[in-house]
Amino acid sequence: MASVKVAVRVRPFNQRELDMEAKLIIQMDGKKTRIFNSKLPPGKESDHGRERWKDFTFDHSYWSFDATESHYASQEKVYKDLGTDVIESAFEGYNACVFAYGQTGSGKTFTMMGTPECQGLIPRICKTLFSRMAAGKEEGASYRTEVSYLEIYNERVKDLLQPSATNHSLRVREHPRRGPYVQGLSRHLVTDYSDIQELMVRGNNHRTTASTNMNDVSSRSHAIFTVMFVQAGFSNNMPSETESKVHLVDLAGSERADASGATGQRLKEGAHINKSLVTLGSVISALAELSSSQKESGPGQRRASRSFIPYRDSVLTWLLRDSLGGNSKTIMIAGIGFSVTLLHSDILVSELNIYLVQGPNWIWQCGSLHSVVLSTHCSNHCT
Ligand SMILES: Nc1ncnc2c1ncn2[C@@H]1O[C@H](COP(=O)(O)OP(=O)(O)OP(=O)(O)O)[C@@H](O)[C@H]1O
């Protein structure tokens, strides 16, 4: 598996878009995502260097616009492509991180959590982890699995599994060997999928959500569900222990204040959300730059340049440090819901521009992260 995989997924129109008679301006063909530039005058295919269609290529382009179409990408399909890789690497002793990125209402929570009838990546990954463990136990392996669930809201951390005890006041510290961690975050021993399910439901009920113009139930925080497991068994007739950590992240949506209708508290939240997403983008860019400078000057440069990666500029990037480079496999899924309407074309066309700047370009840069992670990851398999 490549160390970083990037996928995009287009969701169905929501009621707001249907009411406004929105027109879809995106097409997908295999790995390619094509975006229509509605700013060009009708009949022109290009103008001053701008093309009518802009193409982007990703590891996967998921068409989930209409469930009746034959190439509709279901939750099962997304899980098979991306989730199974995560499970493989976790059992091999690598850390993994899966996160969904995109504008508010673009389908991040649906992809990560899903609904009870249509489960997303997080429950499917957890379910398979336990069935793999059950099979491993029959072959003599033993496992110890713990989970934690936190949210980052306005740059402050809350334990979603002990919400009243901590109330957004947990401190992020750094362990000299293990790196950044949240002091006082509860860890819960789980023995089967139903334990995890119960914790997930409990944690989700404590997430900070609100209604915005863009989404009736908008996540206003970044949520990190972490599964830590230790496998004990035998390798070459010697006892061995492998420790892995899987971060499953549901990011809050990037947004523009005018489109989301945010004022007051919502506006403040939006500013924090955007700040940490911008930092996430800067970290990825810095890692990509680091990768190219290493290629030019050799591996000796790595330690010196690492201090320039702005992990510490947001709580999110600081906590995900060990999943964005180093010993990790990373999967990013960008949710997109592109549309223009006949009524509000100016407003929605500028939403498209936001995506072109914040979305695919940012994701594009991640392409070069492959080599960073490939060159630095190592197994934490200890014998
Ligand atoms: N692939 C999909 N198929 C069907 N419905 C979807 C899909 N993706 C998203 N939706 C629906 O679109 C709405 C918005 O999705 P969701 O809440 O996942 O967005 P979000 O990006 O997590 O938003 P926010 O950042 O505001 O939390 C939900 O009602 C969800 O069920």
Side-chain angles (χ1 to χ4, degrees):
M1 161 190 180
S3 284
V4 178
K5 274 193 177 177
V6 179
V8 293
R9 186 177 195 190
V10 65
R11 62 151 172 76
F13 279 154
N14 58 28
Q15 197 51 51
R16 171 174 163 265
E17 288 156 342
L18 291 173
D19 291 346
M20 292 198 297
E21 296 178 32
K23 297 266 176 285
L24 193 68
I25 52 164
I26 194 156
Q27 291 178 356
M28 286 178 170
D29 180 11
K31 294 182 173 197
K32 206 189 291 170
T33 296
R34 310 191 77 201
I35 299 163
F36 180 75
N37 186 351
S38 61
K39 273 188 171 172
L40 287 185
K44 277 201 162 181
E45 281 314 299
S46 65
D47 188 8
H48 303 297
R50 292 181 305 174
E51 300 297 319
R52 170 68 72 195
W53 288 96
K54 184 127 182 113
D55 289 354
F56 299 89
T57 301
F58 301 96
D59 292 305
H60 300 276
S61 287
Y62 290 121
W63 183 258
S64 301
F65 180 69
D66 182 348
T68 61
E69 290 171 287
S70 59
H71 60 310
Y72 176 79
S74 64
Q75 298 282 67
E76 175 68 10
K77 160 93 179 133
V78 175
Y79 164 73
K80 280 203 167 136
D81 287 346
L82 304 175
T84 47
D85 271 352
V86 168
I87 291 160
E88 280 312 317
S89 26
F91 276 91
E92 283 167 17
Y94 293 101
N95 292 343
C97 177
V98 186
F99 61 88
Y101 173 89
Q103 202 175 28
T104 183
S106 59
K108 298 180 297 298
T109 305
F110 185 84
T111 294
M112 294 303 291
M113 268 303 164
T115 59
E117 310 74 48
C118 214
Q119 290 187 321
L121 277 172
I122 294 183
R124 285 171 195 261
I125 287 174
C126 293
K127 215 181 269 182
T128 311
L129 275 177
F130 279 106
S131 53
R132 281 278 301 262
M133 283 181 203
K137 278 180 193 162
E138 283 175 15
E139 287 163 20
S142 64
Y143 303 89
R144 181 185 167 84
T145 311
E146 291 179 321
V147 303
S148 65
Y149 199 8
L150 63 86
E151 81 167 3
I152 304 168
Y153 174 70
N154 289 352
E155 290 296 278
R156 296 173 60 152
V157 180
K158 172 162 111 177
D159 187 339
L160 287 171
L161 299 176
Q162 270 189 335
S164 52
T166 63
N167 201 21
H168 292 117
S169 59
L170 291 178
R171 303 189 68 147
V172 179
R173 298 199 174 276
E174 187 174 10
H175 185 278
R177 193 166 51 84
R178 292 183 165 258
Y181 70 99
V182 177
Q183 189 176 36
L185 181 69
S186 61
R187 290 167 69 126
H188 300 254
L189 191 65
V190 287
T191 53
D192 57 26
Y193 177 67
S194 65
D195 288 347
I196 277 206
Q197 203 177 21
E198 191 268 319
L199 292 170
M200 232 183 280
V201 170
R202 191 175 354 144
N204 287 344
N205 288 339
H206 294 123
R207 273 198 77 180
T208 306
T209 58
S211 178
T212 68
N213 284 354
M214 314 279 287
N215 188 0
D216 290 341
V217 192
S218 176
S219 311
R220 311 302 295 165
S221 64
H222 308 301
I224 307 182
F225 187 85
T226 306
V227 182
M228 297 145 281
F229 74 99
V230 179
Q231 307 172 67
F234 285 87
S235 174
N236 296 331
N237 287 332
M238 294 286 286
S240 74
E241 221 175 62
T242 308
E243 199 180 323
S244 318
K245 189 160 58 172
V246 182
H247 287 305
L248 301 159
V249 187
D250 184 20
L251 295 175
S254 58
E255 60 185 53
R256 291 180 313 136
D258 49 349
S260 61
T263 54
Q265 180 64 13
R266 296 282 89 82
L267 190 60
K268 186 178 157 202
E269 287 168 356
H272 279 293
I273 292 167
N274 287 346
K275 176 179 173 257
S276 49
L277 294 174
V278 167
T279 308
L280 184 60
S282 310
V283 165
I284 304 275
S285 299
L287 284 168
E289 271 170 36
L290 176 66
S291 163
S292 26
S293 71
Q294 275 169 15
K295 266 188 224 148
E296 281 158 23
S297 54
Q301 287 284 329
R302 185 157 68 88
R303 282 193 183 284
S305 345
R306 181 144 281 210
S307 57
F308 293 104
I309 296 172
Y311 289 114
R312 280 182 182 268
D313 284 2
S314 78
V315 173
L316 175 73
T317 46
W318 188 223
L319 285 179
L320 291 181
R321 192 185 70 164
D322 62 355
S323 302
L324 298 172
N327 178 19
S328 66
K329 309 277 179 177
T330 307
I331 288 174
M332 284 182 282
I333 306 149
I336 50 177
F338 282 114
S339 61
V340 285
T341 66
L342 300 175
L343 293 174
H344 296 84
S345 58
D346 284 348
I347 299 169
L348 287 157
V349 163
S350 59
E351 273 178 30
L352 165 67
N353 289 336
I354 290 280
Y355 262 116
L356 287 176
V357 175
Q358 288 190 349
N361 280 354
W362 177 78
I363 293 160
W364 234 12
Q365 290 180 336
C366 299
S368 43
L369 191 66
H370 285 248
S371 49
V372 177
V373 182
L374 276 174
S375 63
T376 55
H377 80 247
C378 62
S379 166
N380 54 355
H381 192 105
C382 37
T383 311

